[in-house]
Amino acid sequence: HTHAMKTLLVLLAVAALLFAVATAVVVVDETEHAVITQFGRPVAVLSDAGLHGKLPAPIQRVTRLDKRVLFTAQQPTELLTSDKKNVVVSTYLSWRIADPLKFLTSLRTREAAEARLAALVQSELGSTLGNLPFSSVVPAPTDGGGLEQVEERVQKTCQDAALRDFGIEVTSFGVTRLGRVVFYDYDEIEYLTQCNFRRIPAAPNPELEMSGEVWYPVARNDVFPEEFGAFLLTDPRVRAAFMKHHADLLDPEPAAG
């Protein structure tokens, strides 16, 4: 019985030693930051790839953060210009963790970062568009106008705030759909008789069709009725009634009759 007890104690000691050695070695990948915390408090950041040492768990633990440039697509947002015209834009943001300690203490996860960045972009985009007349945003830019001025202002403001508050470097910001406003109130800026109602051309390949980007040229007065349903017919009951009585309004070339 005594021999068995000694054997058990030796095995437990060996297991504890192996655990301590294993948890005292940190392997850092080139795509990540490793933040060492001691009883929950950050004490070191390891950003160089390779083997590193630390105190064994549970004294010190490792939190890994992505070092790569990350991409976040924002949902379409409806905003107002200074002359009260509705503009719906979809935006994208690329960013990376520049200050791992600040990121860890303020956000901790990518999901939390994307939520805070979305709120920041929404606020700054609304503020920027709210100070510009519709005519300076649409159509294409001239003399520093257009969407480029919006993108520059929003990126600059978001860069400063994200780095200061979250330790995030915003590397790029822009409006999707090849730099165009993807939808706005056509009836506020053109007569219907001046609109060119078109059918969306077939995509040259499935990858491009699923990408969310425009694969065809779009002129100023072009209107694509097929897209109306995505904005106007989200309620299944409304959609059913609409398609029963007015489905032809979604067809740029309705049958004569």
Side-chain angles (χ1 to χ4, degrees):
H1 178 74
T2 302
H3 178 72
M5 182 63 67
K6 288 182 178 179
T7 302
L8 178 60
L9 291 175
V10 169
L11 291 175
L12 289 175
V14 170
L17 179 61
L18 291 175
F19 176 79
V21 171
T23 59
V25 176
V26 182
V27 180
V28 179
D29 189 81
E30 62 183 7
T31 64
E32 66 184 7
H33 301 286
V35 180
I36 307 301
T37 58
Q38 185 166 319
F39 302 118
R41 182 174 60 86
V43 294
V45 177
L46 306 176
S47 296
D48 296 329
L51 292 175
H52 301 267
K54 69 173 187 65
L55 295 178
I59 300 173
Q60 290 187 339
R61 298 184 182 276
V62 181
T63 300
R64 301 179 187 275
L65 302 173
D66 204 323
K67 190 196 293 187
R68 296 169 295 183
V69 174
L70 304 174
F71 179 85
T72 301
Q74 308 283 342
Q75 293 297 316
T77 303
E78 183 173 358
L79 301 164
L80 290 175
T81 58
S82 61
D83 47 355
K84 308 305 179 186
K85 299 295 178 65
N86 290 26
V87 178
V88 178
V89 293
S90 299
T91 61
Y92 68 87
L93 194 72
S94 62
W95 56 280
R96 70 178 188 88
I97 300 173
D99 186 337
L101 288 180
K102 181 167 289 187
F103 181 90
L104 185 64
T105 55
S106 61
L107 297 171
R108 295 193 69 85
T109 66
R110 176 174 178 172
E111 291 74 18
E114 290 183 330
R116 297 299 292 271
L117 287 172
L120 181 60
V121 167
Q122 172 85 1
S123 174
E124 296 303 330
L125 190 58
S127 175
T128 300
L129 286 173
N131 288 317
L132 295 172
F134 187 85
S135 59
S136 73
V137 179
V138 178
T142 56
D143 299 327
L147 291 174
E148 277 74 4
Q149 63 177 328
V150 176
E151 292 172 333
E152 290 174 3
R153 295 182 190 181
V154 173
Q155 180 172 343
K156 178 62 170 63
T157 305
C158 288
Q159 277 178 332
D160 295 340
L163 188 60
R164 179 187 67 243
D165 298 336
F166 311 129
I168 289 175
E169 177 189 355
V170 175
T171 57
S172 66
F173 168 81
V175 176
T176 58
R177 295 298 185 93
L178 302 182
R180 295 288 186 266
V181 174
V182 298
F183 179 87
Y184 50 86
D185 294 332
Y186 286 95
D187 60 330
E188 292 186 0
I189 61 173
E190 297 290 353
Y191 289 107
L192 286 175
T193 54
Q194 296 177 330
C195 291
N196 178 31
F197 292 95
R198 294 177 52 193
R199 190 180 302 281
I200 298 176
N205 56 68
E207 292 76 14
L208 192 56
E209 183 176 14
M210 297 298 293
S211 70
E213 298 297 330
V214 176
W215 58 85
Y216 46 89
V218 181
R220 170 175 174 170
N221 292 351
D222 285 348
V223 181
F224 300 91
E226 299 162 78
E227 294 188 325
F228 292 169
F231 296 94
L232 305 176
L233 305 177
T234 55
D235 187 314
R237 294 174 299 176
V238 173
R239 183 178 184 84
F242 183 93
M243 296 304 293
K244 180 179 180 181
H245 300 286
H246 303 293
D248 58 311
L249 294 178
L250 301 183
D251 188 346
E253 301 170 357

